[in-house]
Structure formats: structure tokens, C-alpha cells
Amino acid sequence: QVQLAESGGGSVQAGGSLRLSCAASGDTYSRYCMAWFRQSPGKEREMVAVVDTDGGVTFADSVEGRFNISKGNAKNFPDLQMTSLKPEDSGMYYCAARSCSGDYCYCGHYSGIDYWGKGTQVTITS
């Protein structure tokens, strides 16, 4: 098992930037698909970015061109770099992982996630 803990959330004005990190502990040597999700009140948890087991990165259409993935520190899952933030980006952001075997693994839907962090709140003010 792996334990995940997000950090870096906060409140910024629209147009600003934030960087979220995900610290992993436990079994960090197994093979994982890694992802960032977010959820706003009354809405379904949605994928923001996925790093699949081939190292490919997929972003949600709503954040494409504004968000990026960068390599975190040792034992950290990839950071989520968020720029040009909008009020609609507000929500609870979760680091997530899916334990994988086989040749390829993708984890773009919340139903396929095995491990979740507790989340970090992001609030964008207009």
C-alpha cells in the first residue's frame, strides 16, 4: 500500500499560480499510475492530470495549456503546477494512485483509483 499526502493548496486571485505536491510513503516501489483529481461542492470528482505507466501525461480539456506536471522530490509523486488560475478551478484537489501490473495502466476515472490523499483546498478569488 501507499499513503499519499497533498500540500501546497491555498487561496489566490484569478490569474495567479499554485504548485501542489504529493508526498508518498509506504510501498513507493511498486508500479503506479498517478493522477490529480479535483472536486467542487455538488460536482463529481474529476480528473485534472494523469501520468500513466508509460510516462505519458494527459490533462483535462479545462486545464490544458494552463496546468503542467513536474517531477517531485524523491518519493514524491509528480507535482501539479497550476497557472492562469480561474475561479472555476476552485475545489479540493486530490493526489491519487492506481496499483498497476502488466504492460500499460491508465487511471483517468475516480472509480479506478486505489489510493487517495486527503486533499488540499484550492480557492481562486475573482
Side-chain angles (χ1 to χ4, degrees):
Q1 290 190 353
V2 65
Q3 293 78 46
L4 305 173
E6 304 88 345
S7 62
S11 180
V12 298
Q13 288 189 329
S17 301
L18 282 172
R19 186 184 186 103
L20 305 184
S21 296
C22 177
S25 59
D27 179 12
T28 59
Y29 299 100
S30 293
R31 196 154 167 259
Y32 297 101
C33 172
M34 299 164 282
W36 285 93
F37 284 76
R38 68 185 180 190
Q39 189 168 22
S40 303
K43 294 187 177 181
E44 187 174 273
R45 192 168 295 190
E46 63 175 355
M47 180 271 286
V48 176
V50 173
V51 182
D52 61 39
T53 51
D54 281 352
V57 181
T58 304
F59 293 98
D61 290 343
S62 59
V63 306
E64 183 76 53
R66 299 187 297 119
F67 289 14
N68 208 347
I69 288 287
S70 58
K71 187 176 181 180
N73 295 327
K75 295 193 175 182
N76 276 15
F77 280 17
D79 291 355
L80 182 66
Q81 180 67 45
M82 307 185 294
T83 64
S84 301
L85 285 161
K86 304 175 182 180
E88 51 263 43
D89 293 319
S90 297
M92 189 69 79
Y93 281 69
Y94 298 91
C95 178
R98 176 182 180 182
S99 182
C100 301
S101 60
D103 294 333
Y104 177 76
C105 183
Y106 183 76
C107 54
H109 192 270
Y110 65 81
S111 63
I113 297 298
D114 297 313
Y115 306 103
W116 293 98
K118 292 183 178 180
T120 185
Q121 181 67 39
V122 171
T123 303
I124 311 303
T125 59
S126 57

